[in-house]
Amino acid sequence: MTLMKHLRIALADDHAIIREGLVQVLNTHPGIVVVAEAKSGKEAIKLADNPELDCLVLDIDLQDRNGIEVIKSIRRNNQKLPILVLSMHPPSQYAARVLSAGALGYITKSEPTQELVLAIRRVATGAKYISPVVAEILAERFGDAQTAADPHQCLSDREHQFMMMVATGLTVNAIAEKLSLSPKTVSMYRTRTLKKMGMKTNAELVHYAIKNNLLA
């Protein structure tokens, strides 16, 4: 009898409790074994060098760099490692961006374990995991020329992240602390974001995010 090949999974999340919980949960499912962990973007990028890995489960919010930057860095190095993004943020905020960057799927931490396992198994085969919600978002973004031309689409990943964090009520100093950046650097992102969006205040960014359902 041929034994089923175990999927070798790596986890990248800067919260130890979350990593430990995911390891315990995933290792109870037949055919899945967590063999590596990373607590930073730098460590996640190094994991991509391991040819024995079948899938990297990656968080968006890493202390040293944005998850989207990690994906792009891995792809620039021609690494083919399948990546599934597991995030606390709703798909409307990041799904389209992570898929465009080279991830094969996007799932939120509010989904049940069985859905996460399904997503991992699918992505590990090299196929895309697209939930109905994400499929609708992609259809709206790429199926409508006007939507694709929306101002926020021209923001860099960091600028987009800044706008989303401002929209949730965080101040420049709070964002700087959360991202391990200096307030001066975050203020620079603020200036660039407002300029590209044609706005003058954070309140306008908040209004825009709400009006365009970016926080849904």
Side-chain angles (χ1 to χ4, degrees), residues 41 45 58-62 65-76 83 85 87 89 93-103 106 141 155-161 164:
I45 292 170
L58 175 71
D59 188 20
I60 280 285
D61 299 314
L62 299 171
R65 64 188 72 187
N66 182 275
I68 299 175
E69 295 172 349
V70 172
I71 297 169
K72 289 181 176 180
S73 179
I74 291 173
R75 295 299 178 243
R76 277 196 301 269
I83 300 172
V85 171
S87 173
H89 301 290
Q93 292 188 22
Y94 289 105
R97 281 180 175 262
V98 301
L99 293 171
S100 294
Y106 186 97
R141 175 173 177 180
L155 297 177
S156 71
D157 294 327
R158 273 296 192 190
E159 292 160 358
H160 180 267
Q161 184 181 33
M164 290 295 94

Side-chain angles (χ1 to χ4, degrees), residues 10 44 47-48 50 53-56 74-75 79-83 102:
L47 287 179
N50 186 345
L53 289 178
D54 296 300
C55 178
L56 169 63
I74 291 173
R75 295 299 178 243
Q79 300 292 352
K80 306 300 183 183
L81 177 64
I83 300 172

Side-chain angles (χ1 to χ4, degrees), residues 89-171:
H89 301 290
S92 57
Q93 292 188 22
Y94 289 105
R97 281 180 175 262
V98 301
L99 293 171
S100 294
L104 292 182
Y106 186 97
I107 187 170
T108 64
K109 293 179 179 178
S110 61
E111 292 289 342
T113 301
Q114 286 300 129
E115 191 65 22
L116 172 60
V117 171
L118 172 65
I120 289 174
R121 292 190 191 281
R122 184 165 181 79
V123 167
T125 67
K128 281 187 168 60
Y129 168 80
I130 306 292
S131 69
V133 173
V134 173
E136 184 176 347
I137 291 170
L138 295 177
E140 290 178 354
R141 175 173 177 180
F142 298 109
D144 186 334
Q146 181 60 44
T147 301
D150 283 343
H152 70 276
Q153 303 295 356
C154 70
L155 297 177
S156 71
D157 294 327
R158 273 296 192 190
E159 292 160 358
H160 180 267
Q161 184 181 33
F162 168 81
M163 182 176 74
M164 290 295 94
M165 296 178 86
V166 165
T168 61
L170 294 179
T171 63

Side-chain angles (χ1 to χ4, degrees), residues 5 25-26 52 57 72 82 88 92 95 132 136 139 163 167 172 193:
K5 176 183 178 294
V25 169
L26 292 177
E52 295 185 356
V57 179
K72 289 181 176 180
M88 63 176 287
S92 57
E136 184 176 347
M163 182 176 74
V172 166
T193 302

